[in-house]
Amino acid sequence: MFRKRKVQPFPIFLDSPMAIEATNIYTRHTELFDDAMTKFIAEKPLRADLKPMKLCVTAEDSKQINEVPGPCLVMAGAGMCNAGRILHHLKQNLWKPETHVMIVGYQSHGSLGAVGRG
């Protein structure tokens, strides 16, 4: 969206030490990319699109997201929303009408992440 200028850049937070480490592995091993991804980053380095992204390694980094004014995107690993930093973000923001939550991945029946599924 940033690359194609569909939206103005806004703050992005990668709030998952495990995801940060996985990202570092992909950065070191670009031979793992398929042809489409190789072409995509050859046109313009992905880091250029992600200048607004902040890596949240510590719990304190994560809590500071609460102080960010305006829109932002928080990517927090959470499995089925049953533990971890995602619970903090849900508690701090879910009550706000402007908050949107997108869960990508499997959510088992009865898990917090599956509540409300039809």
Side-chain angles (χ1 to χ4, degrees):
M1 293 185 324
F2 295 163
R3 181 176 286 200
K4 294 185 177 184
R5 300 188 183 190
K6 294 188 181 257
V7 298
Q8 289 293 316
F10 52 82
I12 300 171
F13 300 93
L14 182 54
D15 192 12
S16 168
M18 188 184 325
I20 292 167
E21 185 54 35
T23 300
N24 290 335
I25 291 168
Y26 277 103
T27 300
R28 290 190 306 267
H29 295 283
T30 56
E31 74 276 5
L32 299 173
F33 297 159
D34 63 14
D35 292 341
M37 185 63 176
T38 301
K39 180 182 175 195
F40 183 76
I41 61 174
E43 292 171 3
K44 182 179 176 186
L46 197 52
R47 294 273 183 210
D49 294 320
L50 297 175
K51 283 181 186 174
M53 185 166 72
K54 180 177 189 294
L55 306 180
C56 299
V57 178
T58 68
E60 189 57 38
D61 292 338
S62 181
K63 291 175 186 174
Q64 288 178 1
I65 297 171
N66 295 331
E67 308 305 318
V68 173
C72 67
L73 170 66
V74 179
M75 296 183 289
M80 295 180 213
C81 300
N82 59 349
R85 295 179 181 184
I86 190 65
L87 291 177
H88 170 78
H89 294 301
L90 292 173
K91 182 178 178 183
Q92 294 297 313
N93 297 290
L94 200 55
W95 60 272
K96 300 175 186 175
E98 66 272 17
T99 296
H100 298 274
V101 177
M102 179 178 7
I103 297 175
V104 181
Y106 177 76
Q107 301 296 305
S108 69
H109 182 73
S111 69
L112 182 59
V115 171
R117 272 192 350 198

